Amino acid sequence: MCDTMIAMGTITGTARTYLAKTSDREPNEAQYLTRTPAADHPEGAMVRMTYVEIPQVADTSAHVGSRLWWIWGFEHGVNEHGLAIGNEAEWSRLPAGTEPGLPDMDLLRLTPERARDADEALAVLTGPIETRALDRAAAPAPGAGVAARAARTQALAAEQAVAVRTLATLGALQADRLPPRGGDPRAPYLKEVAATAPVTAVKEPA
């Protein structure tokens, strides 16, 4: 599993924030530092990612990142605005599909390319996923009628509503100071997260 660490400027002694990241990869999976200058793009331009193409934005920021030799995306990167990002493994509860998609590292590279701060970064990360999900929901499956398509769209809307509430809750938790011990209103939420979190590491016997 990868690990990402941040040292804020208040403790580094230099007033600068540092990001460090490990990348648990095979020895032969070489990574290259890839630097991309800022650029303006014409209307209708597309960006070719690892497996798919998506519409390009009007302007992109200068950025640099660590890229595996076989993929378009980054393991971690930073842009000219000081926005830095690193990827971690995250287990999905959704079944895997067979059609080409967006690897997390492709989404990660889009972030310093298109975002200037953390709020914009969240929109960049979730935007392509929502767009592709909506496209899939709107496309009827072979033999499916209007009712089946409507049911898929409604289910997607419900999932999006849950995601929005979760993001709002996380934002509130990050913004507020921790309450006194014994009176933490987050306790039920944290207990639920701990109960549903997947096992990502197994301690080996000594």
Side-chain angles (χ1 to χ4, degrees):
M1 303 295 289
C2 299
D3 297 292
T4 301
M5 297 169 286
I6 297 177
M8 304 301 291
T10 53
I11 64 171
T12 59
T14 62
R16 294 184 177 182
T17 299
Y18 294 90
L19 180 144
K21 181 183 182 299
T22 63
S23 178
D24 295 341
R25 291 285 173 180
E26 295 295 330
N28 290 328
E29 274 191 296
Q31 296 190 33
Y32 303 93
L33 280 178
T34 300
R35 179 182 178 275
T36 306
D40 297 325
H41 306 279
E43 184 177 356
M46 304 290 287
V47 54
R48 177 65 189 179
M49 305 168 77
T50 303
Y51 302 115
V52 300
E53 285 187 341
I54 66 172
Q56 182 60 282
V57 295
D59 58 271
T60 51
S61 301
H63 58 282
V64 62
S66 183
R67 180 180 65 84
L68 294 173
W69 66 269
W70 59 272
I71 202 170
W72 180 82
F74 288 164
E75 281 270 357
H76 59 281
V78 62
N79 68 10
E80 61 182 299
H81 309 292
L83 176 68
I85 184 172
N87 80 322
E88 304 289 336
E90 181 63 39
W91 306 109
S92 175
R93 299 180 181 179
L94 301 176
T98 57
E99 64 183 87
L102 298 168
D104 63 329
M105 287 178 281
D106 282 10
L107 293 171
L108 188 147
R109 181 172 178 175
L110 284 179
T111 304
E113 183 178 85
R114 300 183 175 192
R116 297 171 180 265
D117 55 40
D119 290 333
E120 290 185 2
L122 180 60
V124 171
L125 283 169
T126 58
I129 298 175
E130 292 178 350
T131 299
R132 289 181 65 83
L134 287 171
D135 289 344
R136 292 179 63 184
V146 176
R149 183 171 59 185
R152 292 180 62 191
T153 304
Q154 185 175 4
L156 175 63
E159 291 181 7
Q160 289 180 317
V162 172
V164 169
R165 290 197 298 270
T166 301
L167 290 173
T169 301
L170 291 175
L173 294 178
Q174 292 173 347
D176 296 339
R177 297 184 59 184
L178 293 176
R181 285 184 175 272
D184 191 342
R186 303 177 304 165
Y189 168 78
L190 296 176
K191 183 178 181 181
E192 179 182 353
V193 170
T196 58
V199 176
T200 58
V202 177
K203 185 177 181 180
E204 298 182 355

